[in-house]
Amino acid sequence: MDNVTPLTGRQRLILAGRRLFAEKGYSGTGVREIAAEAGVSIGLIRAHFGSKAGLREEIDRQVIAQIEELCSRATRHLGTEALELLVEDAVEWVERERDALLYLRTALMERTPGSQALLRELLRIMRRFVEINRDRGFLQEDVDEEWASIYLVIDFLGPAVLEPFSEKEFGTSMYHRDMVKRRSAFMNRVMTRGFMKS
Amino acid sequence: MDNVTPLTGRQRLILAGRRLFAEKGYSGTGVREIAAEAGVSIGLIRAHFGSKAGLREEIDRQVIAQIEELCSRATRHLGTEALELLVEDAVEWVERERDALLYLRTALMERTPGSQALLRELLRIMRRFVEINRDRGFLQEDVDEEWASIYLVIDFLGPAVLEPFSEKEFGTSMYHRDMVKRRSAFMNRVMTRGFMKS
DNA sequence: TCGTATACGATACGATCGTATACAGGCGCA
DNA sequence: TGCGCCTGTATACGATCGTATCGTATACGA
């Protein structure tokens, strides 16, 4: 589980904080717990981040940076087969950065400058996505583009919101391979044809 | 704002707790704060609910009951023009019971017996909805019905998740009349035709 | 070898947390 | 009239919270 190169106390604190905040929320997690999970002493939080809130801000910054990276990669696909590649990218990112996504989920439940920024970043990605597809003629006519973007944000976050209940309710993780496949098949269908008769 | 019939301390505590838990989360809200918002003394929480957790359980029970009521009303439409009426019902319910919905939103972020039950109830409504529409021939062919239900849950919760950021990001509440109208127009289109070309 | 920054433990602080206890008024009922 | 119950207030208690401040060990460049 552990990496070969030993992480610094600072890095361990960030990872531990991200995981615990994601699981139990900001106010549900104590600094002693974070320090214990990171295997460092409490004092180090203050030394590096000034306070518990400072630690959260740093976590927010890093997660936002990850989202931005996902966004820039989306833009790179511009000239080619945008849609499928972007979805694949997102799926792959979610698998690789599950902790970040679950943190994102929990952060959005608390109203902080960081969570507002996180949401804004997500919206930027999705607006961009809609834009690209419109320019390439993949969008149907007379679509409410703003709501399409919001819709994409919601459906990106949806599985993360349900994930904590998924095992009990569906017998598997939302991010299990089969579940992801079923979901992307369904979403693909909905986005191109819908699933109800008019 | 206040009702004419004075509420009992018990009722005031439930309403105050629901509002504060919704806004700041369970562990982010103190019992003194709840008592102050309700205009009663702290001891009353213990007298009526045994503990802070007991108060939450009672709130969960009531919100679940509200969801169940929404569900039973959905079933009542069975024989007639199910789809539009159910959507109208849900919209009307959300307008009337905004606090309950926002509590639902926050509760789903915490893993408690109550939140699991809340999600299960939502799923039941949506499965039922899909079932009804399938039987009445409103469903397209070869639809993954389980994922359709999950999809409906996500899109029901979506606006609630974004609501706290809505004013700042879109300049209006997610549940403002115009926003609801735009959204239901978009969702209607997506569910019947999608918005992307294949 | 010295100076300095970083990493870390130990402990203490004031505040706030959820909970517990003591008690008061109002009501129905024997 | 007296008793029990319910609703309610006020206050106290122990635990835990985030923060602060010691002291020390280690690493590295001048």
Side-chain angles (χ1 to χ4, degrees):
Chain A
M1 190 64 86
D2 278 348
N3 234 326
V4 275
T5 58
L7 299 171
T8 66
R10 182 188 167 87
Q11 292 171 307
R12 301 165 63 84
L13 276 173
I14 291 175
L15 289 180
R18 197 179 65 173
R19 209 191 68 70
L20 287 171
F21 287 160
E23 189 187 326
K24 335 190 344 168
Y26 178 74
S27 37
T29 307
V31 288
R32 285 162 183 81
E33 198 180 358
I34 299 172
E37 165 112 357
V40 303
S41 77
I42 336 166
L44 210 56
I45 292 178
R46 179 174 155 79
H48 281 298
F49 313 103
S51 67
K52 184 188 178 187
L55 170 59
R56 171 165 68 177
E57 282 166 29
E58 180 57 31
I59 295 173
D60 282 342
R61 260 191 296 276
Q62 297 206 359
V63 174
I64 289 174
Q66 288 185 303
I67 306 261
E68 269 169 353
E69 191 217 328
L70 180 64
C71 178
S72 80
R73 216 158 355 126
T75 316
R76 220 174 300 148
H77 288 157
L78 180 65
T80 57
E81 51 296 268
L83 206 158
E84 290 85 1
L85 278 182
L86 193 137
V87 171
E88 260 175 49
D89 249 22
V91 167
E92 189 263 347
W93 180 83
V94 164
E95 271 185 5
R96 191 164 33 85
E97 301 288 355
R98 255 192 67 165
D99 273 9
L101 182 66
L102 293 180
Y103 177 79
L104 183 61
R105 169 201 124 98
T106 307
L108 286 184
M109 299 305 119
E110 289 151 359
R111 217 158 331 177
T112 64
S115 58
Q116 184 91 35
L118 282 164
L119 176 68
R120 177 163 297 140
E121 207 52 45
L122 270 184
L123 262 172
R124 238 190 59 200
I125 296 186
M126 298 313 178
R127 289 198 179 111
R128 179 97 200 169
F129 178 83
V130 170
E131 221 173 88
I132 292 174
N133 280 280
R134 183 230 299 134
D135 291 347
R136 297 187 42 78
F138 283 145
L139 223 57
Q140 295 178 12
E141 278 72 41
D142 300 322
V143 168
D144 186 333
E145 296 193 10
E146 177 68 355
W147 253 104
S149 310
I150 299 174
Y151 170 87
L152 289 171
V153 169
I154 290 174
D155 283 317
F156 176 77
L157 292 175
V161 171
L162 301 190
E163 172 66 10
F165 309 100
S166 183
E167 200 71 44
K168 217 167 204 163
E169 213 61 48
F170 312 112
T172 173
S173 160
M174 275 286 151
Y175 296 110
H176 186 281
R177 203 120 224 150
D178 299 343
M179 204 62 166
V180 170
K181 205 171 269 179
R182 264 181 83 182
R183 168 164 186 268
S184 80
F186 179 79
M187 289 310 296
N188 211 15
R189 186 223 179 94
V190 171
M191 283 168 64
T192 54
R193 293 194 285 147
F195 65 100
M196 307 263 307
K197 296 181 182 165
S198 47
Chain B
M1 189 68 81
D2 278 349
N3 233 328
V4 274
T5 57
L7 298 173
T8 66
R10 183 188 165 86
Q11 293 172 308
R12 299 166 64 83
L13 276 173
I14 291 175
L15 289 180
R18 196 179 68 173
R19 207 192 68 70
L20 287 171
F21 287 159
E23 188 187 327
K24 336 191 344 170
Y26 178 74
S27 38
T29 306
V31 288
R32 285 161 182 80
E33 196 179 359
I34 299 173
E37 165 111 358
V40 302
S41 79
I42 338 166
L44 208 56
I45 293 178
R46 179 174 157 80
H48 280 297
F49 312 103
S51 67
K52 182 189 178 187
L55 170 59
R56 170 165 70 178
E57 282 166 29
E58 179 57 32
I59 294 173
D60 282 340
R61 259 191 296 275
Q62 296 207 359
V63 174
I64 289 174
Q66 288 185 304
I67 306 262
E68 269 169 353
E69 192 217 327
L70 181 64
C71 179
S72 80
R73 213 156 359 125
T75 316
R76 220 173 300 149
H77 288 154
L78 181 64
T80 58
E81 50 299 84
L83 206 158
E84 291 84 0
L85 278 183
L86 191 137
V87 171
E88 259 174 48
D89 249 20
V91 167
E92 190 264 347
W93 180 82
V94 165
E95 271 185 4
R96 190 163 35 86
E97 301 287 354
R98 255 194 65 164
D99 273 8
L101 181 67
L102 292 180
Y103 176 80
L104 183 60
R105 169 200 123 98
T106 308
L108 286 183
M109 298 305 119
E110 288 150 1
R111 218 157 331 174
T112 65
S115 58
Q116 183 91 36
L118 282 163
L119 176 68
R120 177 163 298 140
E121 208 51 46
L122 270 183
L123 263 171
R124 238 189 59 199
I125 297 186
M126 298 312 179
R127 289 197 178 112
R128 180 99 199 163
F129 178 82
V130 169
E131 222 171 89
I132 292 174
N133 280 278
R134 182 230 299 133
D135 291 348
R136 296 188 41 79
F138 284 146
L139 221 57
Q140 296 178 13
E141 277 71 41
D142 300 323
V143 168
D144 186 335
E145 296 192 10
E146 177 67 356
W147 253 105
S149 311
I150 300 174
Y151 170 88
L152 288 171
V153 170
I154 290 175
D155 282 318
F156 176 77
L157 292 176
V161 171
L162 300 190
E163 172 66 9
F165 309 100
S166 183
E167 201 70 45
K168 217 167 203 162
E169 213 61 48
F170 311 113
T172 173
S173 160
M174 275 285 151
Y175 296 109
H176 185 280
R177 203 123 223 149
D178 298 342
M179 204 62 165
V180 171
K181 203 171 271 179
R182 264 181 83 182
R183 168 165 186 267
S184 79
F186 179 79
M187 289 311 296
N188 210 19
R189 186 223 179 97
V190 171
M191 283 166 65
T192 55
R193 293 194 285 146
F195 64 99
M196 307 263 307
K197 295 181 183 165
S198 47

